[in-house]
Amino acid sequence: MTWDATKYFAKAKRYWSKASGVPRDDDQFLLHVSFFCEFFIRGVLVFKSPVLNADLSEDSLLHAAGVGGFDNAKTVGLRTAITRLKAAYADLKAVNLDPIQVLVDARNRELHGESDEISTQDSNQILPAVYLLAVKGAGATNLDLVDLMGAEDADAALEAANAVQKDRSHRVKSDIKNARDRFYERSPEEQAEFREKEAGFGYAVQTNGTHLKTHKCPACGSQAVLGGKPIGVSREFLRDGSVMYESRAVPTGFSCDVCGLKLSGLAELMAAGLPHEITTLDERDPVEFFNVDPMDYVDTGEIIREYGEEMHGYQDE
């Protein structure tokens, strides 16, 4: 017996399902993502060779080679696992997996210490690396990304992975600088007048399904509009006595009416430091969600009797 890649992938799939089902601001989200990353990385290593997953002890190496009876076999630490992953797969060599290592380190400190580490991590900084790992790793091991992550998250992963691999930083930095310079070259009076054009709403959905959310402009600091296409929702959950769900959209464009900055496509948006995902919490009607028929709780006979008594009393008067 030795380590089995399919078992690692099955665990990764299970933890991604747990992560996807909760809102992004839930502490459990990044905790589940951290387990997904660790099991997925080990699965990709074992797919190449179980030896890559073993530490340097003799028991571990023999277990990796398929020799039975070595219950003390140990896997290598994740930092070394990532190093081996990049050495074993040319397509992963240049991938920056540092955010994943930071997340797993934070998880381990939380598991073994008293500090609250997971809640301090920023999913917007971590998820693009996770998505790129999933896309590259699935491709290298012939895994079905949809089966691994679900159709909605697989689409989001592909969008983000493609954006990360496109280097738009130089052009976008130039666009931001030009928009900033144009705005601050105006007189204070003109700046104040243009500031009145900033977006005055928080979140909206257009009739064509486009999600709109205000976001601080990286050029002038005003509230501008970030638009995106819907990509999925979380499972329903209870929060403050209400049935809630999280809507998710992939950003497609950014427009600031104050300084004129416009960005198009996820690659440009991420290069500008804008989020790779738009999320918002919405409320479900509990009657519809629980499929409740109000008439099941209405005694029509009692209503008729009460009505008749009221009418009878009215006629007596």
Side-chain angles (χ1 to χ4, degrees):
M1 292 293 292
T2 187
W3 291 293
D4 186 341
T6 60
K7 292 181 179 179
Y8 275 123
F9 290 144
K11 291 175 75 173
K13 176 181 176 180
R14 185 166 67 251
Y15 274 100
W16 185 263
S17 177
K18 291 175 181 290
S20 184
V22 299
R24 303 299 201 229
D25 64 353
D26 193 304
D27 286 349
Q28 292 186 57
F29 172 68
L30 284 180
L31 180 62
H32 293 322
V33 169
S34 72
F35 284 116
F36 164 82
C37 291
E38 178 144 0
F39 293 133
F40 186 71
I41 287 171
R42 296 190 185 282
V44 176
L45 278 180
V46 172
F47 181 87
K48 177 71 75 171
S49 171
V51 174
L52 295 172
N53 194 41
D55 73 4
L56 297 180
S57 68
E58 187 165 349
D59 283 3
S60 302
L61 293 172
L62 288 170
H63 176 77
V67 180
F70 293 95
D71 296 333
N72 294 324
K74 296 179 180 178
T75 59
V76 73
L78 187 66
R79 191 176 298 277
T80 303
I82 289 175
T83 300
R84 292 181 180 180
L85 184 74
K86 291 186 174 186
Y89 292 93
D91 208 29
L92 286 163
K93 187 173 183 179
V95 175
N96 179 18
L97 299 180
D98 290 347
I100 293 173
Q101 182 66 62
V102 170
L103 172 63
V104 173
D105 287 345
R107 181 203 68 193
N108 291 341
R109 289 195 301 272
E110 180 156 325
L111 288 174
H112 301 290
E114 57 186 16
S115 59
D116 187 5
E117 297 282 348
I118 290 290
S119 63
T120 65
Q121 305 304 306
D122 183 358
S123 62
N124 277 319
Q125 299 296 321
I126 294 168
L127 274 185
V130 175
Y131 286 148
L132 186 55
L133 167 68
V135 170
K136 293 283 191 180
T141 56
N142 302 316
L143 276 179
D144 183 345
L145 192 64
V146 172
D147 181 65
L148 178 68
M149 306 182 79
E152 296 171 352
D153 286 334
D155 285 344
L158 287 169
E159 293 264 8
N162 289 334
V164 169
Q165 295 175 91
K166 295 177 181 177
D167 186 5
R168 298 286 189 268
S169 57
H170 181 73
R171 188 176 75 192
V172 168
K173 286 179 181 178
S174 177
D175 290 344
I176 293 173
K177 181 180 183 301
N178 291 336
R180 181 185 297 118
D181 291 346
R182 285 196 304 269
F183 179 74
Y184 287 105
E185 284 171 358
R186 301 179 184 276
S187 67
E189 293 76 18
E190 288 178 312
Q191 290 180 29
E193 181 180 347
F194 273 85
R195 291 282 188 195
E196 295 177 1
K197 298 181 180 181
E198 70 177 348
F201 67 94
Y203 182 81
V205 179
Q206 293 182 313
T207 54
N208 64 1
T210 299
H211 289 232
L212 303 176
K213 192 171 187 177
T214 54
H215 198 283
K216 184 178 179 180
C217 176
C220 68
S222 302
Q223 288 299 306
V225 179
L226 183 64
K229 61 180 181 181
I231 198 136
V233 298
S234 72
R235 289 190 289 269
E236 288 78 4
F237 57 93
L238 288 174
R239 181 173 290 184
D240 298 328
S242 298
V243 180
M244 308 292 293
Y245 67 98
E246 181 181 69
S247 297
R248 298 161 184 164
V250 172
T252 55
F254 176 86
S255 178
C256 179
D257 290 338
V258 175
C259 68
L261 177 66
K262 294 186 185 298
L263 300 170
S264 179
L266 189 56
E268 290 190 5
L269 298 173
M270 291 176 64
L274 297 170
H276 70 282
E277 186 177 55
I278 300 172
T279 61
T280 185
L281 297 182
D282 294 301
E283 187 174 349
R284 293 279 191 211
D285 182 344
V287 173
E288 293 182 1
F289 177 69
F290 291 107
N291 196 26
V292 175
D293 184 353
M295 295 306 296
D296 291 341
Y297 300 88
V298 174
D299 187 339
T300 54
E302 181 66 21
I303 293 176
I304 293 172
R305 285 194 298 272
E306 290 180 355
Y307 178 75
E309 291 173 358
E310 290 177 0
M311 292 301 296
H312 181 73
Y314 174 76
Q315 290 172 358
D316 288 345
E317 293 176 1

